[in-house]
Amino acid sequence: MTTVYIGMTVDVLHHGHINVIARARELGNVIVGLLTDSAIADHKRLPYLSYEHRQTVVQNISGVSEVVPQETWDYVPNLLHYRPDFMVHGTDWLEGPLAPYRARAMEALESYGGELVEVPYTEGVSSHSMVEQMRAWGTTPDLRRATLKRLIAAKPISRFIEAHSPISALIAEHTSVEVDARLRQFDGFWSSSLTDSTARGKPDIEALDIHNRLQNIDDMFEVTTKPLIMDADTGGKVEHFELNVRSMERIGISAAIIEDKKGLKKNSLFGNEVHQDQESIEAFCDKIRAGRAARVSEDFMIIARLESLILEKGLNDAIERAGAYARAGADAIMIHSRQSSSDEVFEFADIFRQEFPYLPLVSVPTSYNRTSEDELAERGFNIVIYANHLLRAAYPAMQKAALSILENGRSAEIDEDLMGISEILELIPGTR
Ligand code: SPV
Ligand code: MG
């Protein structure tokens, strides 16, 4: 029986997909190579629907004989594996970023005598614009919360950045650059205790009430769709942490990171320059277990943060604690450091990975900022958090404008450094 291969993502099913499938069906038995989350994650945002959900949809389209995973953006591995008689694709790949993939697919088909059939691109319908429209409508707490685990499964390293207000969250949501024909974006937000407190003029000592923190996050959630990891400081008293886990889950937060300190917490980047106490291993394990028991959804992650290197307790202490926290059920481990080199966190990761090859590892390279994401991924880190950068960018810019207006007695001198009036008027849809 003649076989026909189509590679597809199918996040939003539309008649363009059906046109391609109908053409393929005329040629033979249709095998749909459905792109997996990890095949997609390297090139653009994860689809709304998980692989399993998309698979259910495609399997039930008439004319489709079989759905198989396409694990790579490139069609070649599946073409050489299934050796279909035909491959069908829309003409949208004749030029632009997909053109090299077309050339590679043609070469693979030629190598065993397969044939390429191209279907005119269906005008007036684009998955991309439909997905953008859906994103503008928003998301649900359940979908958003589950995205973190999907990202960890799909990407070598997921990229989170601090957001402390809706406007900073919009920057984190929408900023993207194209690098090597791939769209590079932030995968989600970090709600930092430092920047959340600082933006409200309060010290970073757990002085902001949790409901203030959650209201702030909910305001960001009003206008965005990406997942958020919350810096939950020490988690507070166990009984309070249990209640707070429920509150975090309910609004759609994906993870709480709690640090193994006790008493009055100070910011980690002070290290031992200020007095800070580390929690006992037993007490912190109890808190991890309590948080896990309190959560309603398996998608919500309790992440244990180690302060051993911050407090100069040494690598052995960090390793001992990491093992204990992992065995207590932590869903991931964050190792913090204030060194300017990543040597100590890399050493930690090497040892940790011997016992725990798969438990996700989180890094916060604020001080060791020359270490790249690729290096972190290579050494076994799954998440990188840029913990304070948007507020640190905003403050000096605002201060410069304030100073210039005072110095000059007018605003003309600073104007060219500012966003234009028409730009700010167009920034938020619906303003006009
Ligand atoms: C934060 O962003 O508040 C953190 C990370 O906890 S750090 O400031 O480095 O301690
Ligand atoms: Mg903090």
Side-chain angles (χ1 to χ4, degrees):
M1 187 66 196
T2 309
T3 53
V4 192
Y5 187 86
I6 317 173
M8 289 182 154
T9 298
V10 196
D11 197 6
V12 188
L13 179 66
H14 56 66
H15 55 285
H17 296 118
I18 303 297
N19 286 346
V20 173
I21 291 167
R23 176 71 186 105
R25 184 72 197 101
E26 290 167 8
L27 298 166
N29 269 359
V30 177
I31 304 172
V32 172
L34 191 63
L35 271 75
T36 59
D37 275 6
S38 43
I40 297 161
D42 209 21
H43 286 257
K44 55 182 191 180
R45 269 189 76 169
L46 285 185
Y48 258 99
L49 301 179
S50 67
Y51 180 85
E52 290 70 29
H53 290 158
R54 292 183 286 120
Q55 187 184 32
T56 305
V57 170
V58 178
Q59 254 162 4
N60 285 287
I61 298 175
S62 87
V64 172
S65 304
E66 198 184 346
V67 180
V68 299
Q70 181 174 318
E71 310 270 4
T72 55
W73 189 254
D74 194 351
Y75 300 86
V76 171
N78 267 10
L79 290 177
L80 295 181
H81 180 72
Y82 292 102
R83 300 169 74 90
D85 300 293
F86 295 97
M87 170 181 184
V88 174
H89 199 287
T91 49
D92 54 316
W93 72 344
L94 289 176
E95 47 198 55
L98 287 179
Y101 293 93
R102 176 179 187 261
R104 289 175 51 75
M106 285 175 69
E107 207 179 301
L109 286 161
E110 255 165 45
S111 75
Y112 67 87
E115 207 179 307
L116 175 66
V117 175
E118 287 172 322
V119 180
Y121 186 62
T122 310
E123 292 298 333
V125 53
S126 121
S127 296
H128 178 74
S129 66
M130 284 178 159
V131 168
E132 285 308 301
Q133 182 68 48
M134 278 167 64
R135 297 210 193 282
W137 292 331
T139 183
T140 68
D142 290 321
L143 278 179
R144 188 197 302 260
R145 191 194 311 109
T147 315
L148 177 58
K149 280 200 168 172
R150 285 180 63 200
L151 283 167
I152 293 171
K155 298 189 74 164
I157 190 159
S158 301
R159 185 186 295 115
F160 281 67
I161 188 162
E162 165 265 331
H164 54 274
S165 64
I167 192 72
S168 63
L170 282 171
I171 291 174
E173 172 96 2
H174 294 295
T175 305
S176 68
V177 293
E178 206 180 295
V179 184
D180 303 332
R182 297 164 192 211
L183 206 56
R184 189 180 287 176
Q185 300 180 300
F186 292 100
D187 294 301
F189 317 114
W190 164 242
S191 169
S192 151
S193 70
L194 174 64
T195 65
D196 229 6
S197 306
T198 305
R200 280 157 190 71
K202 292 276 176 66
D204 180 18
I205 53 171
E206 296 190 273
L208 280 195
D209 177 64
I210 178 89
H211 292 287
N212 263 310
R213 301 275 317 274
L214 293 178
Q215 182 60 56
N216 189 37
I217 290 169
D218 207 36
D219 288 346
M220 298 198 273
F221 280 2
E222 280 274 319
V223 293
T224 61
T225 59
K226 290 181 177 175
L228 181 140
I229 300 173
M230 180 168 181
D231 171 3
D233 290 315
T234 65
K237 294 187 173 70
V238 171
E239 294 81 354
H240 295 176
F241 183 52
E242 290 169 334
L243 293 169
N244 294 339
V245 161
R246 295 277 175 89
S247 307
M248 292 181 228
E249 272 191 288
R250 193 177 313 114
I251 64 170
I253 292 171
S254 302
I257 298 193
I258 51 173
E259 60 193 273
D260 58 356
K261 292 209 287 251
K262 66 178 179 186
L264 184 67
K265 175 227 96 147
K266 296 275 174 70
N267 186 276
S268 300
L269 299 174
F270 285 124
N272 282 332
E273 292 162 27
V274 296
H275 181 83
Q276 318 206 48
D277 289 321
Q278 205 169 10
E279 182 59 280
S280 76
I281 294 183
E282 302 75 59
F284 198 67
C285 287
D286 284 345
K287 203 180 278 188
I288 293 166
R289 279 189 284 264
R292 279 180 59 95
R295 68 183 176 188
V296 176
S297 151
E298 284 288 309
D299 290 331
F300 185 78
M301 299 174 73
I302 309 278
I303 302 178
R305 160 173 169 178
L306 287 155
E307 294 287 298
S308 302
L309 302 180
I310 293 288
L311 300 173
E312 294 169 36
K313 298 280 177 63
L315 191 60
N316 288 344
D317 183 74
I319 292 293
E320 183 191 352
R321 284 172 175 270
Y325 301 162
R327 282 184 283 275
D331 297 297
I333 297 289
M334 168 181 155
I335 179 70
H336 205 11
S337 162
R338 62 195 282 261
Q339 300 296 313
S340 55
S341 124
S342 51
D343 291 351
E344 63 175 17
V345 298
F346 281 176
E347 213 178 326
F348 171 88
D350 288 347
I351 300 171
F352 180 78
R353 279 275 169 256
Q354 288 168 20
E355 194 178 348
F356 300 97
Y358 304 115
L359 198 69
L361 272 180
V362 182
S363 79
V364 181
T366 303
S367 54
Y368 50 102
N369 60 10
R370 302 186 62 81
T371 306
S372 71
E373 295 166 0
D374 287 345
E375 289 172 277
L376 289 166
E378 204 172 296
R379 299 303 283 257
F381 284 93
N382 307 80
I383 295 177
V384 55
I385 297 175
Y386 297 97
N388 42 51
H389 299 76
L390 294 184
L391 185 60
R392 284 169 60 208
Y395 186 88
M398 292 194 284
Q399 194 177 40
K400 185 176 174 199
L403 276 173
S404 171
I405 291 171
L406 286 179
E407 278 163 7
N408 297 295
R410 62 180 198 179
S411 68
E413 287 71 15
I414 194 67
D415 211 65
E416 67 175 27
D417 286 4
L418 308 181
M419 172 183 215
I421 289 296
S422 56
E423 226 181 314
I424 195 169
L425 286 175
E426 297 297 338
L427 187 63
I428 308 295
T431 302
R432 177 179 284 280

